[in-house]
Short mmCIF file of all heavy atoms in Angstrom, two decimals:
data_model
loop_
_atom_site.label_atom_id
_atom_site.label_comp_id
_atom_site.label_asym_id
_atom_site.label_seq_id
_atom_site.Cartn_x
_atom_site.Cartn_y
_atom_site.Cartn_z
N ALA A 1 -6.74 11.58 8.22
CA ALA A 1 -7.94 10.84 7.82
C ALA A 1 -8.10 10.84 6.31
O ALA A 1 -8.47 9.83 5.71
CB ALA A 1 -9.18 11.44 8.49
N GLY A 2 -7.79 11.96 5.67
CA GLY A 2 -7.92 12.05 4.21
C GLY A 2 -6.94 11.12 3.50
O GLY A 2 -7.32 10.43 2.55
N LYS A 3 -5.68 11.11 3.95
CA LYS A 3 -4.70 10.23 3.32
C LYS A 3 -5.04 8.76 3.58
O LYS A 3 -4.91 7.92 2.69
CB LYS A 3 -3.29 10.54 3.82
CG LYS A 3 -2.23 9.71 3.13
CD LYS A 3 -0.83 10.11 3.52
CE LYS A 3 0.18 9.20 2.83
NZ LYS A 3 1.55 9.52 3.22
N MET A 4 -5.52 8.46 4.78
CA MET A 4 -5.90 7.07 5.09
C MET A 4 -7.06 6.64 4.21
O MET A 4 -7.09 5.51 3.72
CB MET A 4 -6.27 6.94 6.57
CG MET A 4 -6.48 5.52 7.02
SD MET A 4 -4.95 4.57 6.95
CE MET A 4 -5.50 3.15 6.05
N SER A 5 -8.01 7.53 4.00
CA SER A 5 -9.14 7.21 3.14
C SER A 5 -8.66 6.90 1.72
O SER A 5 -9.13 5.95 1.09
CB SER A 5 -10.12 8.39 3.11
OG SER A 5 -11.17 8.14 2.21
N GLY A 6 -7.70 7.68 1.23
CA GLY A 6 -7.14 7.43 -0.08
C GLY A 6 -6.42 6.10 -0.17
O GLY A 6 -6.57 5.36 -1.15
N LEU A 7 -5.62 5.78 0.85
CA LEU A 7 -4.91 4.50 0.86
C LEU A 7 -5.89 3.33 0.92
O LEU A 7 -5.66 2.27 0.34
CB LEU A 7 -3.98 4.40 2.07
CG LEU A 7 -2.67 5.18 2.03
CD1 LEU A 7 -1.96 5.06 3.36
CD2 LEU A 7 -1.79 4.68 0.90
N TRP A 8 -6.97 3.53 1.63
CA TRP A 8 -7.96 2.47 1.86
C TRP A 8 -8.81 2.21 0.62
O TRP A 8 -9.15 1.07 0.33
CB TRP A 8 -8.85 2.87 3.03
CG TRP A 8 -9.66 1.77 3.62
CD1 TRP A 8 -11.01 1.60 3.50
CD2 TRP A 8 -9.20 0.68 4.41
NE1 TRP A 8 -11.41 0.49 4.18
CE2 TRP A 8 -10.31 -0.10 4.76
CE3 TRP A 8 -7.95 0.28 4.88
CZ2 TRP A 8 -10.23 -1.25 5.54
CZ3 TRP A 8 -7.85 -0.86 5.66
CH2 TRP A 8 -8.98 -1.60 5.97
N SER A 9 -9.12 3.28 -0.12
CA SER A 9 -10.10 3.12 -1.20
C SER A 9 -9.53 3.21 -2.62
O SER A 9 -10.22 2.88 -3.57
CB SER A 9 -11.21 4.15 -1.05
OG SER A 9 -10.68 5.46 -1.10
N LYS A 10 -8.28 3.67 -2.77
CA LYS A 10 -7.70 3.83 -4.09
C LYS A 10 -6.27 3.31 -4.11
O LYS A 10 -5.65 3.14 -3.06
CB LYS A 10 -7.66 5.30 -4.50
CG LYS A 10 -8.97 6.00 -4.54
CD LYS A 10 -8.80 7.43 -4.99
CE LYS A 10 -8.63 8.32 -3.78
NZ LYS A 10 -8.68 9.73 -4.07
N THR A 11 -5.74 3.11 -5.30
CA THR A 11 -4.33 2.79 -5.45
C THR A 11 -3.54 4.08 -5.32
O THR A 11 -3.80 5.03 -6.05
CB THR A 11 -4.06 2.15 -6.83
OG1 THR A 11 -4.81 0.95 -6.93
CG2 THR A 11 -2.59 1.85 -7.02
N PRO A 12 -2.60 4.14 -4.38
CA PRO A 12 -1.84 5.38 -4.22
C PRO A 12 -0.93 5.63 -5.42
O PRO A 12 -0.36 4.70 -5.99
CB PRO A 12 -1.01 5.13 -2.95
CG PRO A 12 -0.95 3.66 -2.79
CD PRO A 12 -2.18 3.10 -3.44
N ALA A 13 -0.80 6.89 -5.81
CA ALA A 13 0.09 7.26 -6.91
C ALA A 13 1.54 7.13 -6.47
O ALA A 13 2.43 6.82 -7.27
CB ALA A 13 -0.19 8.69 -7.36
N SER A 14 1.79 7.35 -5.19
CA SER A 14 3.13 7.19 -4.63
C SER A 14 2.99 6.80 -3.17
O SER A 14 1.97 7.06 -2.53
CB SER A 14 3.93 8.48 -4.76
OG SER A 14 3.36 9.50 -3.98
N LEU A 15 4.05 6.18 -2.67
CA LEU A 15 4.05 5.71 -1.29
C LEU A 15 5.50 5.61 -0.83
O LEU A 15 6.32 5.03 -1.54
CB LEU A 15 3.36 4.34 -1.19
CG LEU A 15 3.09 3.75 0.16
CD1 LEU A 15 2.16 4.63 0.98
CD2 LEU A 15 2.46 2.37 0.01
N LYS A 16 5.81 6.19 0.30
CA LYS A 16 7.17 6.12 0.82
C LYS A 16 7.47 4.67 1.21
O LYS A 16 6.62 3.98 1.78
CB LYS A 16 7.33 7.01 2.04
CG LYS A 16 7.24 8.48 1.73
CD LYS A 16 7.42 9.29 3.01
CE LYS A 16 7.27 10.76 2.74
NZ LYS A 16 7.37 11.53 3.99
N LEU A 17 8.69 4.24 0.91
CA LEU A 17 9.07 2.86 1.25
C LEU A 17 9.05 2.63 2.75
O LEU A 17 8.68 1.54 3.21
CB LEU A 17 10.44 2.54 0.67
CG LEU A 17 10.51 2.52 -0.86
CD1 LEU A 17 11.94 2.24 -1.32
CD2 LEU A 17 9.55 1.50 -1.44
N ASP A 18 9.41 3.64 3.54
CA ASP A 18 9.34 3.49 5.00
C ASP A 18 7.90 3.27 5.46
O ASP A 18 7.64 2.47 6.36
CB ASP A 18 9.92 4.73 5.70
CG ASP A 18 11.43 4.84 5.54
OD1 ASP A 18 12.09 3.84 5.19
OD2 ASP A 18 11.96 5.95 5.77
N ASP A 19 6.96 3.98 4.82
CA ASP A 19 5.54 3.80 5.16
C ASP A 19 5.08 2.39 4.76
O ASP A 19 4.34 1.74 5.51
CB ASP A 19 4.68 4.84 4.45
CG ASP A 19 4.94 6.26 4.94
OD1 ASP A 19 5.71 6.44 5.91
OD2 ASP A 19 4.38 7.19 4.33
N LEU A 20 5.54 1.93 3.61
CA LEU A 20 5.19 0.59 3.16
C LEU A 20 5.72 -0.47 4.12
O LEU A 20 5.04 -1.45 4.42
CB LEU A 20 5.72 0.36 1.74
CG LEU A 20 5.30 -0.91 1.03
CD1 LEU A 20 3.78 -1.03 0.95
CD2 LEU A 20 5.90 -0.94 -0.37
N ASP A 21 6.92 -0.25 4.65
CA ASP A 21 7.48 -1.17 5.66
C ASP A 21 6.57 -1.26 6.87
O ASP A 21 6.32 -2.36 7.39
CB ASP A 21 8.87 -0.69 6.11
CG ASP A 21 9.99 -1.13 5.21
OD1 ASP A 21 9.83 -2.14 4.50
OD2 ASP A 21 11.04 -0.47 5.23
N ILE A 22 6.08 -0.12 7.33
CA ILE A 22 5.22 -0.11 8.51
C ILE A 22 3.87 -0.77 8.21
O ILE A 22 3.36 -1.55 9.03
CB ILE A 22 5.03 1.34 9.04
CG1 ILE A 22 6.38 1.86 9.54
CG2 ILE A 22 3.98 1.38 10.15
CD1 ILE A 22 6.39 3.33 9.90
N ILE A 23 3.31 -0.50 7.05
CA ILE A 23 2.05 -1.13 6.67
C ILE A 23 2.21 -2.65 6.66
O ILE A 23 1.39 -3.39 7.20
CB ILE A 23 1.56 -0.61 5.30
CG1 ILE A 23 1.16 0.86 5.40
CG2 ILE A 23 0.40 -1.44 4.78
CD1 ILE A 23 0.93 1.56 4.08
N CYS A 24 3.31 -3.13 6.07
CA CYS A 24 3.57 -4.57 6.03
C CYS A 24 3.76 -5.14 7.44
O CYS A 24 3.27 -6.24 7.73
CB CYS A 24 4.79 -4.86 5.16
SG CYS A 24 4.52 -4.64 3.39
N ALA A 25 4.44 -4.40 8.30
CA ALA A 25 4.65 -4.87 9.67
C ALA A 25 3.32 -4.97 10.42
O ALA A 25 3.07 -5.96 11.12
CB ALA A 25 5.61 -3.93 10.40
N VAL A 26 2.47 -3.98 10.26
CA VAL A 26 1.16 -3.99 10.93
C VAL A 26 0.32 -5.16 10.45
O VAL A 26 -0.35 -5.84 11.23
CB VAL A 26 0.42 -2.65 10.71
CG1 VAL A 26 -1.05 -2.75 11.07
CG2 VAL A 26 1.10 -1.54 11.50
N LEU A 27 0.37 -5.42 9.14
CA LEU A 27 -0.46 -6.49 8.57
C LEU A 27 0.22 -7.86 8.60
O LEU A 27 -0.42 -8.86 8.31
CB LEU A 27 -0.84 -6.13 7.13
CG LEU A 27 -1.73 -4.91 6.99
CD1 LEU A 27 -1.93 -4.57 5.52
CD2 LEU A 27 -3.07 -5.14 7.67
N GLY A 28 1.50 -7.89 8.94
CA GLY A 28 2.21 -9.17 8.94
C GLY A 28 2.25 -9.78 7.54
O GLY A 28 1.99 -10.97 7.37
N CYS A 29 2.56 -8.94 6.56
CA CYS A 29 2.55 -9.40 5.18
C CYS A 29 3.80 -8.90 4.45
O CYS A 29 4.59 -8.14 5.02
CB CYS A 29 1.30 -8.92 4.45
SG CYS A 29 1.25 -7.14 4.14
N GLY A 30 3.94 -9.31 3.22
CA GLY A 30 5.02 -8.82 2.38
C GLY A 30 4.50 -7.84 1.36
O GLY A 30 3.28 -7.73 1.13
N VAL A 31 5.40 -7.12 0.72
CA VAL A 31 5.02 -6.14 -0.30
C VAL A 31 4.21 -6.82 -1.41
O VAL A 31 3.26 -6.25 -1.92
CB VAL A 31 6.28 -5.46 -0.87
CG1 VAL A 31 5.94 -4.56 -2.04
CG2 VAL A 31 7.00 -4.68 0.21
N GLY A 32 4.57 -8.05 -1.76
CA GLY A 32 3.87 -8.77 -2.82
C GLY A 32 2.42 -9.08 -2.50
O GLY A 32 1.62 -9.37 -3.40
N ASP A 33 2.06 -9.03 -1.22
CA ASP A 33 0.65 -9.21 -0.85
C ASP A 33 -0.15 -7.94 -1.12
O ASP A 33 -1.33 -8.00 -1.45
CB ASP A 33 0.53 -9.57 0.64
CG ASP A 33 1.21 -10.88 0.98
OD1 ASP A 33 1.00 -11.85 0.23
OD2 ASP A 33 1.96 -10.92 1.97
N LEU A 34 0.51 -6.79 -0.96
CA LEU A 34 -0.17 -5.51 -1.13
C LEU A 34 -0.14 -5.01 -2.57
O LEU A 34 -1.10 -4.40 -3.04
CB LEU A 34 0.49 -4.45 -0.24
CG LEU A 34 0.31 -4.64 1.26
CD1 LEU A 34 1.17 -3.64 2.01
CD2 LEU A 34 -1.15 -4.51 1.66
N LEU A 35 0.96 -5.26 -3.26
CA LEU A 35 1.13 -4.79 -4.63
C LEU A 35 1.21 -5.99 -5.56
O LEU A 35 2.15 -6.77 -5.50
CB LEU A 35 2.41 -3.96 -4.77
CG LEU A 35 2.40 -2.63 -4.04
CD1 LEU A 35 3.81 -2.04 -4.01
CD2 LEU A 35 1.44 -1.66 -4.70
N VAL A 36 0.21 -6.12 -6.41
CA VAL A 36 0.15 -7.25 -7.33
C VAL A 36 0.24 -6.71 -8.76
O VAL A 36 -0.53 -5.83 -9.14
CB VAL A 36 -1.17 -8.04 -7.15
CG1 VAL A 36 -1.25 -9.18 -8.13
CG2 VAL A 36 -1.27 -8.53 -5.71
N PRO A 37 1.20 -7.20 -9.55
CA PRO A 37 1.32 -6.71 -10.93
C PRO A 37 0.04 -6.94 -11.73
O PRO A 37 -0.63 -7.95 -11.56
CB PRO A 37 2.46 -7.55 -11.51
CG PRO A 37 3.22 -8.07 -10.34
CD PRO A 37 2.21 -8.22 -9.24
N ASP A 38 -0.28 -5.98 -12.57
CA ASP A 38 -1.43 -6.08 -13.45
C ASP A 38 -0.94 -5.82 -14.87
O ASP A 38 -0.92 -4.68 -15.34
CB ASP A 38 -2.50 -5.07 -13.06
CG ASP A 38 -3.78 -5.22 -13.86
OD1 ASP A 38 -3.83 -6.07 -14.78
OD2 ASP A 38 -4.74 -4.48 -13.57
N PRO A 39 -0.49 -6.88 -15.57
CA PRO A 39 0.09 -6.71 -16.90
C PRO A 39 -0.85 -6.05 -17.91
O PRO A 39 -0.41 -5.47 -18.88
CB PRO A 39 0.44 -8.12 -17.36
CG PRO A 39 0.18 -9.02 -16.22
CD PRO A 39 -0.53 -8.25 -15.15
N ARG A 40 -2.15 -6.11 -17.67
CA ARG A 40 -3.11 -5.48 -18.58
C ARG A 40 -2.95 -3.97 -18.62
O ARG A 40 -3.38 -3.33 -19.56
CB ARG A 40 -4.53 -5.84 -18.19
CG ARG A 40 -4.83 -7.33 -18.29
CD ARG A 40 -6.15 -7.67 -17.70
NE ARG A 40 -6.13 -7.27 -16.28
CZ ARG A 40 -7.20 -7.12 -15.54
NH1 ARG A 40 -8.39 -7.30 -16.03
NH2 ARG A 40 -7.10 -6.78 -14.27
#
């Protein structure tokens, strides 16, 4: 619950690529939908 709360409310400092694959599969999205560059 604690890690989920962090993923839900903050930008994670790190994230396993396997976990990112599962998140994308659940949401039916690509990595570019979840991670957007912020050049600022």
Side-chain angles (χ1 to χ4, degrees):
K3 184 174 178 182
M4 188 66 231
S5 176
L7 284 175
W8 195 252
S9 60
K10 301 182 267 190
T11 299
S14 65
L15 188 62
K16 292 180 183 177
L17 294 178
D18 290 342
D19 294 354
L20 188 56
D21 276 336
I22 294 171
I23 293 168
C24 288
V26 165
L27 295 174
C29 70
V31 174
D33 298 314
L34 293 172
L35 292 169
V36 179
D38 186 357
R40 297 171 300 163

